[in-house]
């Protein structure tokens, strides 16, 4: 591949292909830049996606420290830091950039039009101007989408089924997660669904982690009876704190990914993000073998999972209807 720029031994990384053969010959190995909006340390569910990528690539014979190297960069929920991290990976001339979500893919694309970018779980990559079309991306970006705008109405419906006579729901959202068009689309969809279900919405923005506690204060002040958490890498990284605050304020909450239910939320509905990461590994492998991102269709999830946490339901004195439990892919007891 013309764009492939290999390097020799990295600090702290052994080089072999396989079993040390090529290391003895001074062969070079591909470097994958991993760009994450979240945190390098502390509780952050998104780091599991890195593990899933590495596991996915192992199926194709790649082993970190032997025949592939990863350069990890984290945005620490700071847009400026994320742009700097993207620029660092471009300066390092990695062979492929794996970007977690639209939030990371956008600064990566702004930083380079040459290095292939494989994005995990984009919301609406066409509206976010990352690709020309799902079938023919046309540039240096491809990957997977989790169908962000399409699922917000379904989550509101599931929440209304779980909480009897639900009339007021807070929507925790991150204004800077995606492009204005994608965000406006999600808001339009949930507002339409709220009218259909007879629910009054309270839109509560959180521009960064420091705004989350204040957002919950506003929810309680305005009398929210439940919570739906919009898709957002920043909010995803803060799921443990969001779930704790929801529990403290006795707010039934539904999340965009199963990790929200696992860490103490009532429910979640969406694509399995580690599965999307493993799908991403397939495209990384193809690109390393010479494929062009422009020719690799963006993959869409074919399955969405509903996870219900009955332990949380019990603490909230909620009886989840049997009809809803029957739909669940996983019930935490």
């Amino acid at each position: 591949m013309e764009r492939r720029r290999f390097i020799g031994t990295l600090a702290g990384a052994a080089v072999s292909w396989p079993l040390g053969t090529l290391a003895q010959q001074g062969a070079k190995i591909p470097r994958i830049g991993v760009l994450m909006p979240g945190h390098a340390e502390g509780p952050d569910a998104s780091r599991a996606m890195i593990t899933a990528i590495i596991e996915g690539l192992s199926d194709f014979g790649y082993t970190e420290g032997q025949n592939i190297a990863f350069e990890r960069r984290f945005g620490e929920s700071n847009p400026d830091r994320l742009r700097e991290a993207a620029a660092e990976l471009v300066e390092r001339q990695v062979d492929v950039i794996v970007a977690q979500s639209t939030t990371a893919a956008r600064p990566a694309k702004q930083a380079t039009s040459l290095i292939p970018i494989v994005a995990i779980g984009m919301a609406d990559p066409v509206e976010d101007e990352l690709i020309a079309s799902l079938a023919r991306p046309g540039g240096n970006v491809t990957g997977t989408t989790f169908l962000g705008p399409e699922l917000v109405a379904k989550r509101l419906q599931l929440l209304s089924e779980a909480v009897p006579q639900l009339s007021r729901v807070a929507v925790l959202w991150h204004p800077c997660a995606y492009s204005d068009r994608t965000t406006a689309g999600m808001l339009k969809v949930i507002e339409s669904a709220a009218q259909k279900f007879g629910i009054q919405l309270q839109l509560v923005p959180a521009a960064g982690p420091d705004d989350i506690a204040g957002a919950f204060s506003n929810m309680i002040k305005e009398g929210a009876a439940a919570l739906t958490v919009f898709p957002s890498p920043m909010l995803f990284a803060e799921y443990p704190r969001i779930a704790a605050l929801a529990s403290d304020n006795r707010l039934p909450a539904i999340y965009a990914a199963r990790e929200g239910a696992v860490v103490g939320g009532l429910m979640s509905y969406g694509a399995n993000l580690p599965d999307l990461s493993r799908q991403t590994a397939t495209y990384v492998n193809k690109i390393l073998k010479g494929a062009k991102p422009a020719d690799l269709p963006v993959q869409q999830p074919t399955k969405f999972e509903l996870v219900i946490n009955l332990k949380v339901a019990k603490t909230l004195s909620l009886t989840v209807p049997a009809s809803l439990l029957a739909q669940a892919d996983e019930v935490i007891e």
Side-chain angles (χ1 to χ4, degrees), residues 130-174:
L130 289 169
I131 62 173
S133 72
L134 295 177
R136 298 281 296 181
N140 66 321
V141 179
T142 188
T144 56
T145 174
F146 68 96
L147 299 178
E150 292 87 344
L151 300 184
V152 293
K154 179 66 174 180
R155 293 188 191 100
L156 190 62
Q157 174 194 331
L158 292 168
L159 191 59
S160 68
E161 292 179 22
V163 182
Q165 300 178 329
L166 185 60
S167 60
R168 186 173 179 83
V169 174
V171 180
L172 183 63
W173 65 296
H174 178 202

Side-chain angles (χ1 to χ4, degrees), residues 21-107:
T21 302
L22 294 186
Q24 297 171 4
Q25 302 172 3
K28 299 175 182 179
I29 66 173
R31 287 182 301 159
I32 309 301
V34 181
L35 186 62
M36 309 287 287
H39 308 285
E41 298 180 353
D44 186 338
S46 62
R47 286 202 302 276
M49 296 167 72
I50 300 179
T51 301
I53 294 167
I54 295 172
E55 290 174 349
L57 283 168
S58 70
D59 294 337
F60 297 103
Y62 297 100
T63 300
E64 183 175 13
Q66 292 185 8
N67 54 18
I68 197 168
F70 294 90
E71 298 207 12
R72 299 164 173 83
R73 297 291 187 277
F74 298 85
E76 304 295 339
S77 295
N78 183 316
D80 292 334
R81 174 61 196 134
L82 191 61
R83 284 189 289 271
E84 292 171 359
E88 288 172 8
L89 291 175
V90 173
E91 185 176 353
R92 295 282 295 169
Q93 297 186 337
V94 295
D95 298 289
V96 180
I97 295 175
V98 173
Q100 190 241 323
S101 80
T102 300
T103 302
R106 293 176 75 193

Side-chain angles (χ1 to χ4, degrees), residues 66-292:
Q66 292 185 8
N67 54 18
I68 197 168
F70 294 90
E71 298 207 12
R72 299 164 173 83
R73 297 291 187 277
F74 298 85
E76 304 295 339
S77 295
N78 183 316
D80 292 334
R81 174 61 196 134
L82 191 61
R83 284 189 289 271
E84 292 171 359
E88 288 172 8
L89 291 175
V90 173
E91 185 176 353
R92 295 282 295 169
Q93 297 186 337
V94 295
D95 298 289
V96 180
I97 295 175
V98 173
Q100 190 241 323
S101 80
T102 300
T103 302
R106 293 176 75 193
K109 184 174 174 60
Q110 290 167 2
T112 180
S113 60
L114 296 177
I115 297 175
I117 298 167
V118 183
I120 311 167
M122 294 177 282
D124 190 333
V126 176
E127 287 294 316
D128 286 324
E129 300 181 334
L130 289 169
I131 62 173
S133 72
L134 295 177
R136 298 281 296 181
N140 66 321
V141 179
T142 188
T144 56
T145 174
F146 68 96
L147 299 178
E150 292 87 344
L151 300 184
V152 293
K154 179 66 174 180
R155 293 188 191 100
L156 190 62
Q157 174 194 331
L158 292 168
L159 191 59
S160 68
E161 292 179 22
V163 182
Q165 300 178 329
L166 185 60
S167 60
R168 186 173 179 83
V169 174
V171 180
L172 183 63
W173 65 296
H174 178 202
C176 301
Y178 310 110
S179 71
D180 291 343
R181 286 192 294 181
T182 296
T183 300
M186 284 195 283
L187 293 173
K188 182 178 180 180
V189 168
I190 199 167
E191 287 168 353
S192 176
Q195 288 184 344
K196 176 182 176 181
F197 301 134
I199 292 174
Q200 184 178 0
L201 295 180
Q202 179 194 357
L203 300 176
V204 187
D210 293 342
D211 297 328
I212 292 174
F216 272 88
S217 296
N218 290 336
M219 293 177 204
I220 302 308
K221 182 180 178 181
E222 297 296 326
L227 166 67
T228 180
V229 182
F230 260 19
S232 156
M234 184 276 290
L235 295 177
F236 182 74
E238 299 295 327
Y239 270 7
R241 187 154 68 102
I242 293 171
L245 286 166
S247 176
D248 291 344
N249 290 285
R250 297 189 60 78
L251 281 178
I254 187 165
Y255 298 79
R258 71 182 306 278
E259 288 79 2
V262 170
V263 298
L266 175 64
M267 307 166 66
S268 67
Y269 182 75
N272 185 295
L273 296 180
D275 282 352
L276 288 183
S277 298
R278 283 184 282 271
Q279 284 180 249
T280 301
T282 301
Y283 273 10
V284 172
N285 176 57
K286 288 184 177 181
I287 289 170
L288 290 176
K289 293 183 182 301
K292 297 179 180 179

